[in-house]
Amino acid sequence: MSRAQQTAAALARLTGVKVMPDKDLRERFGGDWEGLSDDEIRERYPAERATWNPPNGEPTAAVADRVAAACVRIAGSLADGQLAVVVGHGAALRLGMERILGLPAQGVSVLGPLANCSWSVLDLRDTRWRLLEYNAGSLPEPVIGDDQ
């Protein structure tokens, strides 16, 4: 959560928008995987790692439901034409987006992983969600440089 809050704080400094933490945007609880490296998880839990379902952890469907509900709640608080930036961990955000879009939220991604510091754009029009960008990594012009 601290890395996501650091990213949100940096965006807030650039935009002047207030950061509003939301516990429902947190990453999945990893259960028996907590504190292990990916190599250790692969060695100890190969079947669970293949489907990305941590033993004694938060189920994939629960993460998808939690994050999707937070995003829908945030969108519902906006005025027409208003924009929200939601910052969080890639896997949790991906699962939430898949749920919002009606895609099967699975341990193995339908959309593919989100890279660090990438973003996606969802649009809600007439009660229908659309995915406009996914895993984007370049800024449209003009770009705010170090000197601005």
Side-chain angles (χ1 to χ4, degrees):
M1 190 79 158
S2 63
R3 288 183 302 146
Q5 288 179 340
Q6 290 171 352
T7 301
L11 287 169
R13 283 191 300 276
L14 287 172
T15 64
V17 174
K18 180 182 173 186
V19 174
M20 298 170 39
D22 187 323
K23 66 178 177 50
D24 290 334
L25 295 173
R26 71 190 179 280
E27 183 60 287
R28 159 192 296 212
F29 172 63
D32 294 348
W33 292 359
E34 293 289 328
L36 299 180
S37 70
D38 191 48
D39 287 340
E40 291 169 323
I41 293 169
R42 286 176 194 275
E43 181 181 315
R44 296 180 197 176
Y45 304 99
E48 295 88 344
R49 171 62 174 80
T51 59
W52 206 255
N53 282 301
N56 300 308
E58 188 176 12
T60 297
V63 178
D65 291 342
R66 173 173 50 80
V67 175
C71 291
V72 169
R73 184 178 66 251
I74 291 165
S77 72
L78 301 174
D80 283 345
Q82 194 175 14
L83 172 72
V85 177
V86 176
V87 178
H89 292 275
L93 291 175
R94 174 191 50 84
L95 288 167
M97 283 188 284
E98 288 174 344
R99 176 70 81 234
I100 285 170
L101 295 167
L103 299 171
Q106 304 170 12
V108 178
S109 174
V110 171
L111 292 175
L114 281 170
N116 288 341
C117 295
S118 68
W119 62 88
S120 299
V121 178
L122 290 171
D123 184 43
L124 176 60
R125 301 253 171 122
D126 302 321
T127 71
R128 286 190 55 90
W129 287 93
R130 294 182 311 147
L131 181 62
L132 303 180
E133 290 185 63
Y134 185 77
N135 211 21
S138 61
L139 293 172
E141 295 296 332
V143 174
I144 298 174
D146 293 337
D147 58 342
Q148 297 180 4

